[in-house]
């Protein structure tokens, strides 16, 4: 996406489509006012005829408005002026994005000039740039040619004043980078398990590393992992014909001695449950069990595109989980890289089995913080639905920062408790721990399991089981929690803390 930021008056700006906002009380945004007076009160007439109410997300596309410097005028309702909160603004932007048809190649978006409660024009612009860019996404690479249609939108112009042009331009670029990263994540995630295998992900990582001088990639195969003692991770891939991979993407944008921010993403390219086989309904959606890993790919993609001046490492343990003569059996006991033994009471709790060894592996990077991201538990969907991802960890500052980043990015996370009482549920009669903790508090006990491998650093875990993809008619990956993660690192790179 190309972005232009300028202070040209909306009545003089050239574009294929001007996007402007109006409020429910009949008040117009500054550009709407200017266009209204230049174009014979066309907007206020529509309002007085009650053809336009300005309800949140309401939209009307006008064509060939006389005296307008644009061939289309898209009018978006913003609701009540005094109530313009971030969520209403997002709703308006999403409505605008949906109304832009396939022929429109460039737009001038004036929605960002309005005042959103507690936000500034940079935030407005970042959101607008992200939402409008993301709206061009389509996954049609596996459909035959005649089905293919994709939006032509290639350029967005945003307004700024002469004094803030630079920060607004940066915000537009950041929003675009987040959207590009989300599209990248969605592509990886939407690919089926027969195409997107651990080896495919490893190849994609090598390809990504070529895109930036600051980025390198290292892939460990099964025999290299065996040498490191990753008995837990390898027990999962034993039941699959696809070789497991441990992928590391290392971005060096900071000083040599700056400790890296480390992200570990679950990369289960298909989770059938193993011998504890899952029921058939919606099992196809378990191709999305690599969304945590995909979000780490996306994060690195954005960090490299924005050339952030920090060090960031992404680690993706990748495997399939299938039933097979060599697969884990309930009751099997394996030894993790950390030396702790695990009784596998349910082979479907495989995410933690691959993550625990990856979490031991990343100790060697002497991380500033470690965040793991995983579609770890169905229980998370029961607890939080598809609105918030769960966050849980051993460092309250890190958790608070992730929650704040999620709020800022409209990609929310909600904390669950990591209390000792829950650790009890992981007791095993035969090994150091069991890999499941029973029906109750499934998301918490999964995190309790991981916490036993993260004692040496500041760590948080994001369970994205409910947020990483949508089911039903709109089935598809969402690209979450890339906005949260990129916001967190933007804060680290440029923020005050
Ligand atoms: N990948 C699943 C979790 C999942 C299930 C995510 C459905 C999204 C939708 C994970 O590997 C899993 O199977 N977890 C089990 C754990 C249980 C056996 C303790 C679960 O949640 O049922
Ligand atoms: Mn599973
Ligand atoms: Zn899984």
């Amino acid at each position: 996406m190309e972005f232009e930021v300028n202070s040209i008056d909306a009545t003089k700006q050239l574009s294929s489509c001007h996007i402007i906002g109006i409020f429910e009380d009949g008040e117009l945004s500054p550009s709407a006012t200017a266009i209204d007076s230049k174009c014979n009160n066309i907007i206020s007439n529509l309002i007085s005829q009650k053809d336009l109410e300005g309800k949140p997300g309401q939209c009307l596309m006008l064509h060939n408005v006389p005296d307008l410097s644009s061939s289309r005028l898209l009018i978006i309702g913003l609701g009540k002026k005094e109530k313009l909160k971030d969520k209403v603004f997002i709703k308006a932007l999403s409505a605008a994005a949906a109304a832009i048809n396939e022929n429109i190649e460039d737009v001038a978006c004036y929605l960002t000039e309005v005042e959103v409660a507690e936000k500034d024009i940079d935030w407005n612009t970042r959101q607008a740039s992200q939402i409008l860019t993301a709206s061009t996404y389509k996954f049609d690479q596996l459909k035959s040619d005649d089905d293919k249609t994709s939006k032509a939108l290639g350029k967005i112009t945003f307004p700024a004043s002469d004094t803030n042009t630079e920060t607004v331009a940066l915000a537009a670029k950041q929003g675009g980078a987040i959207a590009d990263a989300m599209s990248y994540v969605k592509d990886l995630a939407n690919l089926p398990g027969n195409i997107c295998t651990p080896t495919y992900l490893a190849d994609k990582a090598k390809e990504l590393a070529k895109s930036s001088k600051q980025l390198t990639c290292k892939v460990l195969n099964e025999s290299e992992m065996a040498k490191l003692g990753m008995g837990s991770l390898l027990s999962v891939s034993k039941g699959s014909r696809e070789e497991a991979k441990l992928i590391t993407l290392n971005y060096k944008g900071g000083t040599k001695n700056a400790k890296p921010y480390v992200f570990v993403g679950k990369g289960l390219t298909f989770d059938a449950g193993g011998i504890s086989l899952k029921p058939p309904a919606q099992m196809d959606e378990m191709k999305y069990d690599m969304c945590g890993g995909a979000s780490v790919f996306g994060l690195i993609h954005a960090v490299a595109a924005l050339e952030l001046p920090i060090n960031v490492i992404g680690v993706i343990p990748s495997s399939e989980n299938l039933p097979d003569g060599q697969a884990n059996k309930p009751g099997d006991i394996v030894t993790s890289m950390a030396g702790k033994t695990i009784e596998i009471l349910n082979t479907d709790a495989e995410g933690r089995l691959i993550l625990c060894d990856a979490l031991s592996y990343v100790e060697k990077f002497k991380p500033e913080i470690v965040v793991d991201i995983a579609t770890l538990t169905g229980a998370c969907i029961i607890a939080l639905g598809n609105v918030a991802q769960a966050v849980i960890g051993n460092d309250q500052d890190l958790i608070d920062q992730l929650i704040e980043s999620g709020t800022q990015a409209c990609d929310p996370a909600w904390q669950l408790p990591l209390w000792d009482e829950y650790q009890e549920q992981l007791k095993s009669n035969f090994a150091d721990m069991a890999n499941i903790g029973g029906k109750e508090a499934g998301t918490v006990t999964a995190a309790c399991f991981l916490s036993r491998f993260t004692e040496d650093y500041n760590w948080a875990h994001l369970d994205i089981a409910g947020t990483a993809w949508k089911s039903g008619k709109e089935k598809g990956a969402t690209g979450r929690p890339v906005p949260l993660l990129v916001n967190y690192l933007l804060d680290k790179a440029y923020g005050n803390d």
Side-chain angles (χ1 to χ4, degrees), residues 266 271 278 286 289 346 348-350 352 375-379 381 436 465 469:
K266 173 179 175 185
D271 178 15
K278 284 185 183 296
M286 281 297 114
D289 212 15
N346 188 321
D348 198 10
E350 84 299 336
R352 60 198 80 180
T375 49
L376 206 59
T377 61
I381 313 174
I436 54 169
W469 77 91

Side-chain angles (χ1 to χ4, degrees), residues 390-420:
V391 58
I392 192 163
N394 64 17
D395 174 5
Q396 195 56 42
D397 283 344
L398 170 59
I399 291 167
D400 289 342
Q401 289 165 22
L402 290 170
I403 292 173
E404 177 57 22
S405 303
T407 306
Q408 283 297 328
C410 294
D411 183 12
W414 194 254
Q415 185 175 6
L416 295 179
L418 184 71
W419 292 335
D420 285 346

Side-chain angles (χ1 to χ4, degrees), residues 209-369:
K210 285 192 192 132
S211 70
S212 158
K213 276 202 188 112
Q214 282 138 317
L215 200 53
T216 53
C217 169
K218 186 173 173 184
V219 177
L220 299 189
N221 61 25
E222 289 187 351
S223 65
E224 290 162 316
M225 286 188 261
K227 277 187 202 133
L228 293 170
M230 296 187 167
S232 183
L233 191 161
L234 291 170
S235 78
V236 176
S237 61
K238 255 190 344 181
S240 155
R241 296 183 191 188
E242 292 290 337
E243 194 183 21
K245 304 284 177 189
L246 185 70
I247 302 162
T248 302
L249 281 160
N250 196 334
Y251 172 83
K252 291 201 172 96
T255 55
K256 206 168 158 237
N257 296 324
K259 287 183 168 181
Y261 297 91
V262 175
F263 297 85
V264 177
K266 173 179 175 185
L268 242 293
T269 58
F270 192 78
D271 178 15
I275 297 298
S276 314
L277 192 63
K278 284 185 183 296
Q282 297 183 358
M283 207 211 265
D284 64 294
E285 294 184 14
M286 281 297 114
K287 69 176 182 180
Y288 290 122
D289 212 15
M290 38 62 77
C291 280
S295 72
V296 173
F297 272 82
L299 178 64
I300 298 284
H301 189 283
V303 165
L306 294 170
E307 301 181 292
L308 297 191
I310 49 177
N311 296 330
V312 185
I313 296 175
V315 172
I316 300 104
S318 184
S319 170
E320 291 183 326
N321 185 29
L322 295 175
D324 176 88
Q326 287 212 53
N328 279 327
K329 301 172 292 298
D332 283 1
I333 295 178
V334 298
T335 304
S336 62
M337 179 178 174
K340 298 181 181 177
T341 57
I342 303 161
E343 185 184 14
I344 301 172
L345 290 176
N346 188 321
T347 67
D348 198 10
E350 84 299 336
R352 60 198 80 180
L353 295 176
I354 68 165
L355 284 170
C356 70
D357 281 342
L359 288 167
S360 298
Y361 179 75
V362 300
E363 260 173 47
K364 70 174 191 161
F365 298 121
K366 306 209 171 4
E368 176 72 26
I369 53 96

Side-chain angles (χ1 to χ4, degrees), residues 35-53:
I35 289 171
D36 194 46
S37 52
K38 171 120 188 267
C39 304
N40 211 9
N41 304 326
I42 182 160
I43 303 169
S44 30
N45 285 339
L46 283 166
I47 293 172
S48 56
Q49 287 164 23
K50 302 229 176 333
D51 286 330
L52 258 184
E53 291 170 305

Side-chain angles (χ1 to χ4, degrees), residues 10 27-28 67 75 94 156 175 184 191 199 228 234 243 320 330 419 492 497:
E27 200 175 322
L28 307 183
D67 300 325
I75 308 171
S94 306
I156 309 170
Y184 183 67
L191 281 172
T199 302
L228 293 170
L234 291 170
E243 194 183 21
E320 291 183 326
W419 292 335
K492 291 295 166 192
D497 48 348

